[in-house]
Amino acid sequence: MAADKQYRVVGTRPIRHDGVDKVTGEARYGADIHLPGMLHGKVLRSPHAHARILRIDTSKAEAHPDVKAVITGVDLPQVADKVQDLGEMVVNLKDESNRILATGKVLYEGHPVAALAAADPHTAEEALKLIDVEYEPLQPVLDVRKAMEPDAPILNPNQRTSGIGAGDGKPSNLARHFRHERGDIERGFAEADAVIEREFITSMIHQGYIELQNGTAHITPDGRLTIWCSSQGAFSIRDQVANICNIPLSMIKVVPMEIGGGFGGKTGVYLEPLAALLAKKSRKPVKMTMTRAEVLTATGPTSGSYIKCKIGAKKDGTLTAAHVELYYEAGAFPGSPVGAASGTCLAPFKLDNVRIDGYDIVVNKPKTGAYRAPGATNAAFATEGVVSELADQIGMDPIEFRQKNAVQQGDRRADGPLFSKIGHVETLEATAESPHWNEPLEPSSDPAKKRGRGVASGFWFNGAGAATASISVFADGTVSLIEGSADIGGHRASCAMIAAEVLCLNAEDVKPQVGDTDSIGYTSVTGGSSATHKTGWATHEAALKVKAEVVNRAAKMLEVDPDEIEYHDDATLSAASKPDAKLTFAQVAARANSTGGPIVGEAGLSTGGAGNAFGTTIVDVEVDVETGKVDILRCTTVQDVGKAIHPSYVEGQMQGGAVQGIGWALSEEYVYSGEGRLLNASLLDYRMPTTLDAPLIETIMVEVANPAHPYGVRGVGEVPIVPPVAAIAEAIYNATGVRMYQAPMNPAYVLSRIQGKA
Amino acid sequence: MAEKRRVQFIVNGDKAEVYCSPRESLLEALRDHLYLTGTKEGCNNGNCGACTVQLNDRIVDSCLVLAVECEGDEVLTVEGLAGENGLHPVQQAFLEHAALQCGVCTPGFLVASKALLDANPNPTEHELRYFLAGNLCRCTGYDKIVHAVMAAAQTIQENE
């Protein structure tokens, strides 16, 4: 199961380099910044889910002596109707501008309408009440199916459906309908011995990062803007602010502060453009932070969905055809992750007859953002659920059923592309052989508590992208590493380990840091599980350059040809012709300035070949059949991780993803009133798993090296969230005999299913 | 707005003084007046535990305590955990067990974990989970945090 090559540092578990700062409170996150003369900004948000703005009067707020600047939608420059790629999401700039500050209409509760800056946050908050906004409330639409009805209230009268169904010319909430089609599904279903068709509903949910969104901006009289914020990519924040505020990107420096969790939700800007405009208007630094209620109502949660799934299989377990219809909430503006859902939902299965329909639908909820394997979990809940039901119907073990249909290298993914080297077969095998799968689940002694086990798989593409790393050699023989990726979960340690590996140093001899947008080359967002893949690769290339230069300097010092120098595993260098003159890396480093100048290696590259990820989760549940409450007793997550650079943090991704999946399955949901107001905008009522809701999470790392990467790395962050919802549904079925078609499977739903009412 | 008041208290063993309005929380006093930004805000209504500090002999969500209530009190924050001999065993265990990813919930977990082990040096896994249930972590799934606190308990016992 191990990736082929053995390494000195890669694959070990050193203490992370930023660890001490993070256990002592030294680490500085976006909200920790205090600048001299700093003002505090607050946002006035729409109380309505859908309304026309008739009038905004800011005069009273502007007259307040402690209010230093007020902005509304008219202060944002007009931007072009063009798309921008954020790494995991593609957005339209005009929509983005409207999302940052509404003009004309508000499209969700919490939609920003105005912002102001005052001397302190409390004054700013109170001064918001001085802004007078007159609305004409409109009927909201909150459900994807209702949004597609002919007489549905229309969010954007200029929006027409693109893709299939385009051309009737009428305004529509359906932004896009696309289809992937291969083979002949009618023939495939006719060949099947069993065909199951089901409908699934999932709620909008939030990433739930603990750190609130923040942004601080300062602009000099000559127009140089500096932004300090916590994001998944400083360069992307810079480019978005440049576009939305119409400022040349070279005039903007974004300083990446430590980020307190993102999971996809911190790729887009929210406060940064507002802070920039307020700083410009007030000529003072402006800091903005959201409240938790603002984070929940007005950042980018992931789509709720309605999914129809029909799959056929022969008696021997061979899948014959599948038709999946994915209806995804985009929120107030187009751009749900339904495209990713379509590519992932059937990916684990060899299928020749496929139709996948994707519908991207606007509703009066916040514009959705990326959340860990965006779109994939909802879709896997449906497809894996139907597959489990089919396996059950034809009487086959669920893992054996998946093994029979498992894709491998050279197979075609359901939506078209060919798979390169992947480890789905290997993860299924590891699952079947795991202690968890082979240990029987003991029944509860309490007759009201029923236990069951479920299993499901998932797929995520993984991403690659542009990345830069720069290494400088210190005179004492250690090195500094500056890299461009936001470090969201320990990846700077992985990059440092790669530098140490190449240079034959210890991990502790590398001092890694994340550079700002003026001090390191462009690096795309920490998203798509790409950071260790791409920035690790850039670090590898930068370290090779340093290594080559160290060899040159050693040759100079030993007065031999560089080709004669051998660089040993213990970071010593020697030449065959001078057997007594061994040099250490540190000795070469100490002499750098007199042998040719500082030794620096830098690499910027755009990587490809991300290498897909497959994961499988086994879960045991206990269902209280009197209350519908589900407890997770045991959970094992199995994943092809390519090559684990720092295994502890790979396990951490698997465990964290699994528990987010548990929250998605059992307790997390956006609850809206009929008027489109979020009724549970707090962490008490938006219920994420606590220490008491999750068991220890067993991990099995399967290492099928990604041949496209120098270390075999494939992204590990996202796929672990994909299978748990489906696995838990299957476990509940095995406990109770009742199938689950809705997430979350909260006590009310589970009990109603058990009692036959839903 | 109500008139500002002077509040004197002890923070991490040192005398501290803030001049704040009565509505300001202990969390704001620590972060915005004393610049002790190790204590984090995650919800400002007592649901996430990121702002956990020790106030005299108990732990509190510092967002739910008014600064003016703390006159004469002793406050311990994450910045005060490490001593002359280096990191507290709980801090060391979090590092060794990779019990943090983004690190933003970590200060609250550390203060709460220390309080747990002060009160119950040898907790069962359930006791530990029960005690820490007021601290949310979204990155780790809690597995490595549970292991780290158990390991810290063992280290502390061995050191005694």
Side-chain angles (χ1 to χ4, degrees):
Chain A
M1 278 201 295
D4 347 37
K5 210 177 150 189
Q6 287 305 307
Y7 298 100
R8 275 179 54 258
V9 180
V10 164
T12 64
R13 300 174 186 242
I15 286 178
R16 61 192 280 168
H17 300 71
D18 54 329
V20 170
D21 285 353
K22 285 182 174 154
V23 299
T24 55
E26 293 279 339
R28 307 234 311 147
Y29 295 74
D32 299 340
I33 202 157
H34 289 88
L35 299 173
M38 185 173 82
L39 303 176
H40 295 265
K42 287 283 173 189
V43 179
L44 182 69
R45 297 177 181 278
S46 168
H48 303 290
H50 195 190
R52 215 178 302 282
I53 302 171
L54 301 178
R55 188 178 57 85
I56 306 178
D57 181 359
T58 59
S59 57
K60 275 188 232 158
E62 281 169 80
H64 190 294
D66 293 333
V67 173
K68 305 299 181 190
V70 185
I71 54 171
T72 66
V74 296
D75 291 288
L76 279 179
Q78 290 287 319
V79 293
D81 211 348
K82 69 169 186 183
V83 296
Q84 186 188 14
D85 189 349
L86 297 188
E88 281 204 316
M89 303 289 277
V90 174
V91 295
N92 178 296
L93 280 176
K94 203 175 170 103
D95 289 347
E96 283 296 281
S97 176
N98 246 326
R99 178 176 69 72
I100 295 302
L101 266 182
T103 49
K105 273 173 91 176
V106 287
L107 298 171
Y108 56 99
E109 183 203 17
H111 198 158
V113 174
L116 58 76
D120 68 84
H122 294 294
T123 305
E125 203 170 348
E126 279 169 17
L128 290 177
K129 292 176 195 147
L130 300 174
I131 301 175
D132 192 17
V133 186
E134 194 184 332
Y135 296 99
E136 177 198 343
L138 303 168
Q139 185 65 35
V141 60
L142 303 164
D143 175 88
V144 285
R145 283 171 287 176
K146 285 190 180 141
M148 289 173 68
E149 286 172 3
D151 57 346
I154 295 292
L155 272 72
N156 178 356
N158 297 320
Q159 181 176 289
R160 309 284 189 278
T161 303
S162 68
I164 300 171
D168 80 345
K170 286 184 194 149
S172 172
N173 293 320
L174 173 60
R176 190 160 77 101
H177 171 205
F178 62 87
R179 175 175 292 171
H180 297 294
E181 189 155 32
R182 285 202 299 118
D184 178 347
I185 56 166
E186 307 310 331
R187 202 187 64 213
F189 285 126
E191 286 169 2
D193 297 310
V195 174
I196 291 177
E197 182 172 14
R198 297 284 180 251
E199 295 173 39
F200 296 80
I201 293 171
T202 72
S203 290
M204 176 171 269
I205 65 159
H206 198 271
Q207 297 85 353
Y209 36 80
I210 303 301
E211 181 202 37
L212 307 162
Q213 253 90 355
N214 58 77
T216 301
H218 178 50
I219 191 159
T220 57
D222 61 344
R224 284 175 293 122
L225 170 64
T226 304
I227 293 173
W228 295 261
C229 64
S230 307
S231 83
Q232 289 178 234
F235 289 90
S236 170
I237 298 295
R238 180 194 67 182
D239 296 352
Q240 291 175 67
V241 171
N243 280 320
I244 290 166
C245 298
N246 197 21
I247 300 172
L249 63 86
S250 57
M251 295 295 275
I252 308 173
K253 175 166 87 172
V254 176
V255 181
M257 306 298 284
E258 296 293 350
I259 167 171
F263 315 106
K266 288 181 184 159
T267 50
V269 291
Y270 293 94
L271 298 174
E272 296 87 346
L274 300 176
L277 292 175
L278 288 169
K280 192 175 179 187
K281 217 164 183 174
S282 65
R283 289 174 282 118
K284 295 217 164 124
V286 174
K287 174 176 172 177
M288 302 182 79
T289 58
M290 284 195 192
T291 64
R292 179 55 63 178
E294 286 180 293
V295 168
L296 288 166
T297 51
T299 60
T302 197
S303 308
S305 53
Y306 164 72
I307 300 170
K308 274 167 85 172
C309 176
K310 179 181 178 184
I311 304 179
K314 290 186 181 168
K315 274 187 202 141
D316 68 356
T318 310
L319 292 174
T320 59
H323 183 195
V324 185
E325 294 168 74
L326 306 153
Y327 299 81
Y328 273 51
E329 295 171 343
F333 302 99
S336 75
V338 67
S342 73
T344 56
C345 63
L346 294 169
F349 310 108
K350 253 191 285 198
L351 271 162
D352 293 324
N353 305 304
V354 186
R355 184 184 294 161
I356 305 168
D357 283 291
Y359 300 84
D360 185 38
I361 303 152
V362 295
V363 293
N364 292 110
K365 297 182 182 180
K367 164 74 175 70
T368 54
Y371 179 28
R372 203 169 203 154
T377 303
N378 323 32
F381 176 41
T383 51
E384 292 285 321
V386 171
V387 162
S388 288
E389 214 169 319
L390 274 171
D392 197 45
Q393 188 165 325
I394 64 169
M396 203 163 165
D397 172 271
I399 296 179
E400 196 188 329
F401 188 93
R402 284 172 173 82
Q403 283 174 314
K404 184 163 183 68
N405 294 288
V407 284
Q408 46 195 316
Q409 183 170 10
D411 287 336
R412 196 167 282 288
R413 204 168 77 202
D415 61 322
L418 285 174
F419 282 110
S420 57
K421 181 90 178 153
I422 49 172
H424 185 38
V425 169
E426 291 82 348
T427 55
L428 285 172
E429 195 181 309
T431 309
E433 290 168 1
S434 67
H436 187 167
W437 190 251
N438 292 289
E439 282 163 23
L441 176 61
E442 300 298 332
S444 169
S445 54
D446 181 345
K449 304 271 176 75
K450 304 291 184 196
R451 292 180 175 178
R453 176 170 293 169
V455 65
S457 296
F459 167 81
W460 183 248
F461 313 94
N462 289 332
T468 312
S470 173
I471 298 172
S472 307
V473 178
F474 291 128
D476 66 357
T478 62
V479 302
S480 135
L481 164 66
I482 304 177
E483 50 124 332
S485 282
D487 179 4
I488 204 159
H491 120 102
R492 94 190 77 177
S494 297
C495 286
M497 290 167 73
I498 286 172
E501 185 70 47
V502 173
L503 297 172
C504 303
L505 302 173
N506 298 317
E508 298 74 27
D509 294 333
V510 182
K511 275 176 72 179
Q513 63 173 306
V514 182
D516 66 54
T517 55
D518 281 0
S519 64
I520 187 73
Y522 183 89
T523 303
S524 53
V525 293
T526 297
S529 301
S530 66
T532 300
H533 173 91
K534 67 190 174 193
T535 314
W537 195 338
T539 304
H540 173 74
E541 297 290 335
L544 287 176
K545 289 180 186 175
V546 169
K547 189 175 188 179
E549 191 53 26
V550 168
V551 166
N552 283 337
R553 303 302 176 84
K556 240 182 209 178
M557 288 166 73
L558 295 178
E559 298 174 326
V560 298
D561 192 87
D563 292 342
E564 209 190 313
I565 297 285
E566 251 190 276
Y567 194 126
H568 303 282
D569 277 355
D570 59 352
T572 59
L573 300 97
S574 63
S577 62
K578 305 233 168 139
D580 301 328
K582 207 169 196 181
L583 288 171
T584 64
F585 181 90
Q587 285 169 326
V588 178
R591 292 277 307 280
N593 291 356
S594 59
T595 55
I599 301 174
V600 180
E602 189 160 31
L605 47 86
S606 285
T607 66
N612 300 149
F614 283 88
T616 297
T617 302
I618 315 167
V619 68
D620 294 349
V621 301
E622 181 172 274
V623 184
D624 185 326
V625 295
E626 290 173 355
T627 65
K629 169 92 164 50
V630 177
D631 286 325
I632 306 292
L633 301 177
R634 186 175 181 182
C635 178
T636 299
T637 175
V638 189
Q639 186 177 325
D640 170 18
V641 302
K643 173 68 192 170
I645 302 292
H646 193 312
S648 296
Y649 289 95
V650 173
E651 290 165 359
Q653 290 295 322
M654 295 165 71
Q655 292 165 334
V659 173
Q660 284 186 322
I662 289 170
W664 198 330
L666 297 181
S667 59
E668 294 180 36
E669 62 181 313
Y670 269 35
V671 182
Y672 277 99
S673 73
E675 293 78 41
R677 298 209 169 94
L678 186 61
L679 298 175
N680 59 336
S682 81
L683 292 184
L684 183 65
D685 300 314
Y686 182 85
R687 184 69 166 72
M688 304 197 295
T690 71
T691 46
L692 286 170
D693 300 311
L696 294 173
I697 308 293
E698 295 160 59
T699 56
I700 298 174
M701 291 184 282
V702 179
E703 293 191 317
V704 178
N706 172 12
H709 189 274
Y711 294 89
V713 165
R714 53 179 92 230
V716 298
E718 288 170 292
V719 81
I721 202 175
V722 182
V725 180
I728 289 168
E730 174 70 359
I732 295 172
Y733 166 73
N734 283 325
T736 63
V738 180
R739 295 268 174 203
M740 299 287 121
Y741 300 114
Q742 184 180 307
M745 295 163 256
N746 55 27
Y749 176 68
V750 173
L751 191 62
S752 70
R753 291 287 298 158
I754 289 171
Q755 295 175 342
K757 289 176 190 160
Chain B
M1 228 191 281
E3 207 172 303
K4 286 191 174 184
R5 297 200 209 162
R6 193 178 72 160
V7 185
Q8 290 180 308
F9 52 140
I10 308 285
V11 179
N12 300 328
D14 293 328
K15 277 188 198 165
E17 182 176 304
V18 296
Y19 184 62
C20 63
S21 64
R23 64 180 295 168
E24 285 183 274
S25 65
L26 174 58
L27 175 64
E28 289 177 287
L30 292 169
R31 289 180 53 82
D32 300 339
H33 293 277
L34 299 172
Y35 304 115
L36 289 170
T37 54
T39 304
K40 303 302 180 193
E41 177 185 337
C43 69
N44 213 31
N45 53 10
N47 294 321
C48 79
C51 67
T52 305
V53 300
Q54 191 171 318
L55 180 63
N56 301 323
D57 54 359
R58 64 195 178 114
I59 53 167
V60 294
D61 289 320
S62 59
C63 70
L64 296 184
V65 178
L66 292 173
V68 294
E69 293 179 280
C70 298
E71 179 67 40
D73 288 342
E74 283 191 40
V75 178
L76 176 73
T77 73
V78 69
E79 288 94 341
L81 287 182
E84 279 175 11
N85 301 322
L87 298 178
H88 186 277
V90 169
Q91 292 172 306
Q92 190 62 36
F94 267 60
L95 292 181
E96 287 171 5
H97 291 264
L100 57 141
Q101 285 176 34
C102 81
V104 88
C105 72
T106 309
F109 266 101
L110 291 170
V111 172
S113 300
K114 178 193 173 287
L116 162 68
L117 299 182
D118 286 348
N120 179 2
N122 193 17
T124 63
E125 184 190 330
H126 182 76
E127 286 169 341
L128 185 159
R129 286 181 178 276
Y130 187 82
F131 195 91
L132 296 178
N135 291 77
L136 292 175
C137 169
R138 192 60 161 172
C139 293
T140 65
Y142 304 108
D143 182 290
K144 293 188 189 305
I145 294 176
V146 170
H147 284 295
V149 180
M150 295 295 244
Q154 205 173 346
T155 306
I156 293 168
Q157 287 195 317
E158 283 165 10
N159 290 348
E160 272 168 4

